[in-house]
Amino acid sequence: MKKLLFLLFLFFSLNVFAEDDSAEYMDNGLPIQFKYMSGNTPIYIEFTDVIQGRYLVDVEWFPDWGLAPLLTGPANINFRVKDTNIKFTIKSELFHIAQRIFSLPNYRLNAENITKKEVLKMKYWHFANPPFAFGDMNFDGIKELVISEKRGGQRSYDAYKVYLLQEIEDTEYFNVVNLTNIKPYSDIDQTTQFDWDKNTIRVMSLGGDCGSMEELYERIYSDFPMQDYKFKLTEKIQYLSWDENGNDIPCTMNVYNVVDGREILDEVRSGPVN
């Protein structure tokens, strides 16, 4: 509760929203526009710049002031490829826009423009931490679509959903592949480490002191372009404070090399850690 009150105080002190001329507030002391930010009323956003030189994007967003950080909630992100009829929609459960963006004069929100369903026109490049982006997530030189799920990962880190955008040159073929249930894409968050030189992804599972795990995935190359996005698990590291019988032991690191799906203990690299 204290944390929530502090966040609300910080929010008001930043004067994120335009003040209503009538200075209306709800019974709980919140500005009246928060009445429409309970996850039920949409706010419509249109990005006026062409993103990545080809995507026109608009958003139907349902912010819920009860979620942390403030101004987080589900959204439908609608993409259209410029000069084509290609359209697709990606659902984000924890779409977030930082409070400070609404301090800009053209981006102010109030109860009136929310209830009138006015479209808020924004510049994508104004965002220091955009709610979606494009990046090479599988080392093939082609950028994938990455959706940020604010604080949706382990220990309140941001999680990321990855979507493969498949195209065939000189055709109208366009396919969106949801990779969010495929390892290691399913576990990518702010703690994930990418090595573009070695074409590996190291995924972390944070379990507290001496209870964590790391998995190293290596890129697999396929002769079939539409299947050329997969990885294989090559190494697993576990930090343990108990033995196989459940007895307490000094913090120990077990390193396993994964060969043909089998975990083989690397005794040289394993042992007690500080």
Side-chain angles (χ1 to χ4, degrees):
M1 179 59 71
K2 288 182 179 179
K3 183 177 180 181
L4 177 59
L5 292 174
F6 172 76
L7 288 171
L8 291 173
F9 172 79
L10 178 62
F11 179 74
F12 298 143
S13 66
L14 291 174
N15 192 25
V16 171
F17 293 110
E19 296 180 3
D20 281 358
D21 293 337
S22 58
E24 293 185 36
Y25 292 87
M26 295 191 294
D27 291 341
N28 59 10
L30 295 176
I32 192 65
Q33 57 263 27
F34 274 84
K35 176 181 179 181
Y36 308 103
M37 296 185 186
S38 59
N40 299 313
T41 304
I43 291 176
Y44 297 96
I45 297 171
E46 178 185 332
F47 293 103
T48 57
D49 36 359
V50 181
I51 301 171
Q52 291 291 307
R54 65 181 316 210
Y55 295 103
L56 304 172
V57 182
D58 64 84
V59 180
E60 181 186 31
W61 178 36
F62 298 84
D64 185 341
W65 69 267
L67 296 176
L70 290 168
L71 301 180
T72 298
N76 298 311
I77 311 172
N78 305 308
F79 295 83
R80 180 167 69 86
V81 180
K82 181 184 176 184
D83 299 327
T84 75
N85 293 320
I86 297 172
K87 299 179 181 179
F88 58 94
T89 297
I90 302 295
K91 177 70 176 291
S92 172
E93 296 297 336
L94 295 169
F95 186 94
H96 171 73
I97 293 180
Q99 306 163 26
R100 60 183 175 274
I101 198 73
F102 293 106
S103 65
L104 299 177
N106 294 334
Y107 297 165
R108 298 292 179 90
L109 283 177
N110 55 44
E112 182 178 6
N113 57 28
I114 294 174
T115 56
K116 287 185 176 181
K117 298 183 179 181
E118 296 178 1
V119 178
L120 186 62
K121 297 182 181 295
M122 311 182 79
K123 294 284 189 182
Y124 177 82
W125 66 268
H126 282 172
F127 289 80
N129 296 296
F132 62 90
F134 294 82
D136 185 2
M137 307 295 282
N138 58 8
F139 317 117
D140 65 352
I142 300 173
K143 292 183 178 180
E144 283 70 52
L145 171 61
V146 183
I147 305 294
S148 175
E149 297 287 343
K150 196 64 177 179
R151 296 191 183 177
Q154 59 183 329
R155 296 181 174 246
S156 295
Y157 284 106
D158 293 351
Y160 300 102
K161 292 182 178 179
V162 180
Y163 295 84
L164 186 69
L165 305 177
Q166 294 180 327
E167 300 181 69
I168 297 179
E169 190 174 358
D170 298 326
T171 74
E172 294 184 355
Y173 180 86
F174 193 98
N175 187 37
V176 180
V177 181
N178 184 349
L179 299 178
T180 56
N181 293 319
I182 300 174
K183 285 183 172 292
Y185 304 100
S186 57
D187 300 320
I188 291 175
D189 64 13
Q190 281 182 295
T191 68
T192 302
Q193 298 175 0
F194 289 80
D195 189 327
W196 275 268
D197 293 326
K198 296 181 179 179
N199 289 359
T200 60
I201 296 177
R202 186 175 295 275
V203 175
M204 309 294 184
S205 179
L206 305 179
D209 292 339
C210 202
S212 298
M213 183 175 69
E214 302 175 16
E215 291 182 323
L216 184 68
Y217 290 86
E218 183 179 320
R219 178 76 154 80
I220 299 174
Y221 290 90
S222 170
D223 293 332
F224 302 97
M226 293 303 176
Q227 295 295 320
D228 198 19
Y229 57 84
K230 296 183 180 180
F231 288 79
K232 65 177 180 180
L233 178 64
T234 61
E235 180 184 272
K236 183 176 180 179
I237 300 176
Q238 284 186 310
Y239 295 88
L240 303 171
S241 58
W242 60 89
D243 62 19
E244 59 185 12
N245 296 318
N247 301 313
D248 291 338
I249 59 174
C251 187
T252 300
M253 178 178 70
N254 285 347
V255 180
Y256 300 91
N257 296 313
V258 182
V259 181
D260 295 329
R262 295 176 56 246
E263 298 179 3
I264 302 172
L265 181 65
D266 187 334
E267 297 184 2
V268 174
R269 298 170 60 198
S270 301
V273 296
N274 293 330

